[in-house]
C-alpha cells in the first residue's frame, strides 16, 4: 500500500469540528468539563476521517492556487462534468445529462433547499429510521411533518431491512409527497440490494412521491462491493434527485462541494429561482482532481477500512460478546447495539463515554431521530492504533461497574 493510513495527523488549531466542536455539537454545552484533556480524547464521532486527503487532490488545489485569483466562479466549462460523469460511469455504470448537474456547497444545504422546492405547506416528508438527523431537520426547517418508517433487524444480528408493509402504508398517505432516502444507509451501513431499491422506487412512485436519494456514502464500500444509484434503476424518470459528493470519499467535507443531479422541472425551477450558483474555486479544483486521479487511493482506503472493521468485529466478539455488530457493507461507520450492557439510568450515551472512557462517539435516539436507543456509532476512519485504543476504552467501560 502506497498510503500510510497509520499516520497520526495533528488536527489541533485548525478549527476542526471534530477536535474543537464536540462540546457544542454533541453536548450543546461549550463549557462542558470532562476528566480528560482534549488531546487525550479518542474521537470516533463526526463523519470525517483522520486520514490525509490524497496527494492528488492537494496538488489539484495547489495548481489552482498558483493561478492566484479566486474571484467569482461557476461551472462554465464542460471539464468537471466530463470528469465526474466518467467517474459515475466507471464506478456505478451510470451517467446523466450534463444539464441535470448542479453544484451545491454541501448535501445538507441542498436538502434544506430541495425540500422547499419539492413540497408545499401541509405536505409530509418520509424518512427511514434510524436516520442522519439533518434529514428530519430539512423537513422541520420548512414546517413539513416528518413521517418515520423504522428499519428492522429481524434476526437481531445487525442486518437492517426496510419494513415494506410499514413503508407502503406510510407512502400511501396522500399528504406524504417526498422520500429522503439514504443509499447506502447511514448509520446502519446497508447497501440496499437492487430488489430493495426497485421496491423503494416503485412504491414511492406509485404513490406520486419525489425521492431525494442521498448517495454521499456511495464510494465508501467494503472491498468487492458495488453501488447502484437508485436513478440507474429507473431510467427516464424525473422523480429521483441524486446527491453525491467527493467530501466523504476523499475527506474534503470542509471544502463544501456536492453534486446534485436534478432531472425534475418543478424542482429545477425552484432551484433556478433561488439557488446561489457560485462555487468555491479551490473546492472545484479539489473535486476535479479527486474524480480524475483519486481511484487508486480510494482502493487503498477501502482495504485499510476492511482491516479496521475486521478489528472491530474481532475485538467486540472477544471483549463484548453480547454487543450486536455486523461489519457494515458501506460507510466507515460501525453501528453497534450495546443494550445488553447499558444500565437503564443512562440518559445520554455519548456523555457516558466522554466522561468515563474519554471516547467521543454518537449514539442513542436523540442523535439518530428514533429506533436507536441502545446503539452507538463508531467512526472507524482512523489509524488502527487509535481505533484499538478506542475499542479498549469502550469495552473496559462497558465491562466495569461505572455504566
Ligand atoms: N448526507 C449524509 C447521509 C451524511 O451522512 C452526511 C454527513 C451528509 C449528508 C453531509 O453532507 P455535506 O452537507 O457535508 O455535503 N454525515 C455526517 C455524520 O453522520 N456525522 O457527521 C457528518
Amino acid at each position: 500500500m502506497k498510503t500510510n493510513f497509520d499516520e497520526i495527523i495533528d488536527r489541533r488549531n485548525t478549527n476542526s469540528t471534530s477536535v474543537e466542536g464536540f462540546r457544542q455539537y454533541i453536548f450543546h454545552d461549550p463549557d462542558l468539563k470532562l476528566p480528560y484533556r482534549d488531546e487525550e480524547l479518542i474521537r470516533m464521532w463526526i463523519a470525517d476521517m483522520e486520514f490525509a486527503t490524497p496527494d492528488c487532490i492537494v496538488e489539484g488545489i495547489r495548481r489552482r492556487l498558483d493561478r492566484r485569483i479566486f474571484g467569482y466562479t461557476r461551472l462554465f466549462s464542460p471539464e468537471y462534468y466530463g470528469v465526474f460523469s466518467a467517474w459515475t460511469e466507471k464506478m456505478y455504470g451510470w451517467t446523466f445529462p450534463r444539464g441535470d448537474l448542479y453544484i451545491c456547497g454541501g448535501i445538507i444545504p441542498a436538502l434544506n433547499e430541495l425540500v422547499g422546492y419539492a413540497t408545499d405547506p401541509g405536505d409530509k416528508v418520509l424518512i427511514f429510521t434510524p436516520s442522519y438527523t439533518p434529514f428530519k431537520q430539512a423537513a422541520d426547517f420548512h414546517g413539513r411533518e416528518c413521517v418515520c418508517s423504522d428499519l428492522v433487524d429481524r434476526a437481531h444480528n445487525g442486518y437492517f431491512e426496510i419494513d415494506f408493509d410499514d413503508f407502503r402504508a406510510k407512502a400511501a398517505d396522500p399528504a406524504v409527497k417526498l422520500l429522503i432516502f439514504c443509499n447506502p444507509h447511514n448509520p446502519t451501513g446497508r447497501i440496499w440490494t437492487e430488489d430493495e431499491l426497485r421496491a423503494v422506487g416503485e412504491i414511492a412512485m406509485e404513490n406520486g412521491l419525489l425521492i431525494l436519494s442521498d448517495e454521499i456514502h456511495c464510494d465508501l464500500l467494503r472491498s468487492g462491493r458495488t453501488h447502484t444509484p437508485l436513478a440507474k434503476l429507473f431510467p427516464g424518470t424525473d422523480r429521483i434527485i441524486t446527491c453525491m459528493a467527493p467530501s466523504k470519499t476523499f475527506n474534503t467535507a470542509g471544502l463544501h462541494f456536492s453534486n446534485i443531479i436534478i432531472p425534475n422541472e418543478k424542482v429545477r425551477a425552484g432551484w433556478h429561482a433561488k439557488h446561489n450558483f457560485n462555487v468555491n474555486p479551490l473546492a472545484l479544483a479539489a473535486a476535479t482532481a479527486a474524480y480524475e486521479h483519486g481511484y487508486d487511493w480510494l482502493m487503498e482506503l477501502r482495504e485499510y477500512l476492511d482491516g479496521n472493521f475486521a478489528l472491530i468485529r474481532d475485538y467486540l466478539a472477544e471483549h463484548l460478546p453480547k454487543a450486536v455488530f455486523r461489519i457494515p457493507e458501506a460507510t466507515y461507520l460501525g453501528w453497534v447495539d450495546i443494550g445488553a450492557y447499558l444500565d437503564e439510568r443512562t440518559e445520554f450515551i455519548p456523555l457516558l463515554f466522554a466522561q468515563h472512557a474519554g471516547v467521543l462517539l454518537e449514539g442513542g435516539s436523540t442523535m439518530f431521530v428514533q429506533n436507536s436507543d441502545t446503539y452507538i456509532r463508531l467512526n472507524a476512519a482512523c489509524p488502527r492504533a487509535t481505533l484499538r485504543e478506542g475499542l479498549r476504552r469502550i469495552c473496559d467501560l462497558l465491562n466495569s461497574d461505572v455504566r
Side-chain angles (χ1 to χ4, degrees):
M1 208 184 267
K2 280 200 337 235
T3 310
N4 177 15
F5 292 101
D6 289 325
E7 181 187 2
I8 298 197
I9 297 175
D10 184 2
R11 301 177 72 180
R12 285 173 302 170
N13 302 316
T14 61
N15 286 294
S16 146
T17 305
S18 176
V19 177
E20 299 174 43
F22 65 91
R23 287 185 174 78
Q24 290 96 319
Y25 195 108
I26 309 179
F27 302 107
H28 310 292
D29 176 3
D31 302 317
L32 177 76
K33 300 267 183 300
L34 294 172
Y36 295 86
R37 283 182 285 128
D38 282 15
E39 52 272 31
E40 291 171 335
L41 296 168
I42 302 283
R43 291 175 276 104
M44 304 176 83
W45 67 288
I46 197 169
D48 65 17
M49 305 198 268
E50 293 298 308
F51 308 131
T53 292
D55 290 344
C56 61
I57 296 183
V58 177
E59 280 154 23
I61 296 172
R62 200 168 280 136
R63 279 195 299 278
R64 182 62 186 81
L65 275 177
D66 287 343
R67 302 294 299 268
R68 300 190 300 157
I69 294 180
F70 309 103
Y72 290 115
T73 304
R74 292 188 181 194
L75 216 53
F76 296 113
S77 105
E79 183 196 8
Y80 179 72
Y81 168 74
V83 168
F84 177 52
S85 62
W87 178 269
T88 64
E89 178 63 53
K90 173 175 171 170
M91 302 298 278
Y92 335 118
W94 173 72
T95 52
F96 49 87
R98 183 176 165 202
D100 291 358
L101 176 64
Y102 296 88
I103 302 302
C104 189
I107 290 183
I108 293 314
L111 294 183
N112 287 340
E113 275 192 61
L114 290 165
V115 170
Y117 310 144
T119 63
D120 295 310
D123 290 349
K124 299 179 188 171
V125 175
L126 187 53
I127 63 173
F128 291 107
T129 38
S131 170
Y132 181 48
T133 313
F135 285 13
K136 177 173 184 300
Q137 288 166 339
D140 294 349
F141 182 60
H142 291 278
R144 311 290 190 251
E145 186 184 322
C146 185
V147 178
C148 298
S149 181
D150 281 347
L151 300 174
V152 287
D153 176 8
R154 289 197 176 83
H156 203 204
N157 62 2
Y159 189 75
F160 284 80
E161 292 173 283
I162 292 164
D163 178 345
F164 278 104
D165 292 336
D166 184 71
F167 172 53
R168 197 174 283 109
K170 286 173 175 160
D173 175 348
V176 169
K177 293 289 171 47
L178 177 69
L179 171 68
I180 307 183
F181 184 55
C182 196
N183 171 37
H185 187 256
N186 171 14
T188 67
R190 273 300 314 279
I191 296 178
W192 308 112
T193 64
E194 279 201 22
D195 285 349
E196 288 172 312
L197 291 172
R198 248 180 250 286
V200 166
E202 278 164 11
I203 292 168
M205 284 190 246
E206 276 161 18
N207 289 285
L209 273 62
L210 272 170
I211 307 174
L212 300 183
S213 189
D214 180 345
E215 309 196 356
I216 194 169
H217 295 277
C218 62
D219 297 314
L220 293 159
L221 316 179
R222 298 296 78 73
S223 296
R225 295 270 183 183
T226 50
H227 170 70
T228 307
L230 182 67
K232 180 181 175 182
L233 301 180
F234 297 91
T237 186
D238 69 349
R239 305 199 64 79
I240 301 171
I241 294 156
T242 305
C243 307
M244 293 177 170
S247 54
K248 286 273 167 285
T249 314
F250 298 103
N251 209 19
T252 56
L255 295 178
H256 287 280
F257 188 97
S258 60
N259 306 296
I260 314 295
I261 298 154
I262 312 177
N264 186 278
E265 282 304 333
K266 177 187 170 206
V267 175
R268 214 138 77 172
W271 189 272
H272 276 266
K274 295 193 188 145
H275 186 72
N276 180 336
F277 280 80
N278 294 326
V279 302
N280 176 328
L282 299 182
L284 176 58
T288 308
Y291 289 128
E292 200 166 4
H293 304 296
Y295 179 83
D296 292 344
W297 181 90
L298 177 61
M299 293 306 118
E300 292 189 355
L301 172 73
R302 285 187 185 179
E303 203 182 317
Y304 194 84
L305 290 175
D306 291 345
N308 276 5
F309 279 115
L311 173 64
I312 296 181
R313 179 198 55 207
D314 296 346
Y315 200 94
L316 293 181
E318 186 177 347
H319 298 279
L320 222 53
K322 286 184 276 185
V324 179
F325 170 72
R326 166 188 289 257
I327 293 179
E329 297 164 332
T331 78
Y332 46 68
L333 306 163
W335 189 237
V336 191
D337 185 359
I338 54 164
Y341 296 91
L342 283 179
D343 190 302
E344 61 279 6
R345 285 169 305 178
T346 303
E347 275 181 9
F348 188 46
I349 293 174
L351 191 59
L352 173 77
F353 284 97
Q355 274 182 330
H356 299 290
V359 175
L360 300 175
L361 51 72
E362 300 185 25
S365 271
T366 54
M367 299 198 83
F368 296 95
V369 183
Q370 66 178 41
N371 194 25
S372 47
D373 282 351
T374 58
Y375 285 81
I376 54 173
R377 195 189 71 173
L378 304 181
N379 181 338
C382 58
R384 202 152 297 155
T386 310
L387 179 63
R388 198 172 279 113
E389 174 62 8
L391 288 168
R392 186 190 67 72
R393 293 187 191 187
I394 289 166
C395 294
D396 283 358
L397 172 64
L398 292 177
N399 285 314
S400 76
D401 295 331
V402 174
R403 76 219 141 72

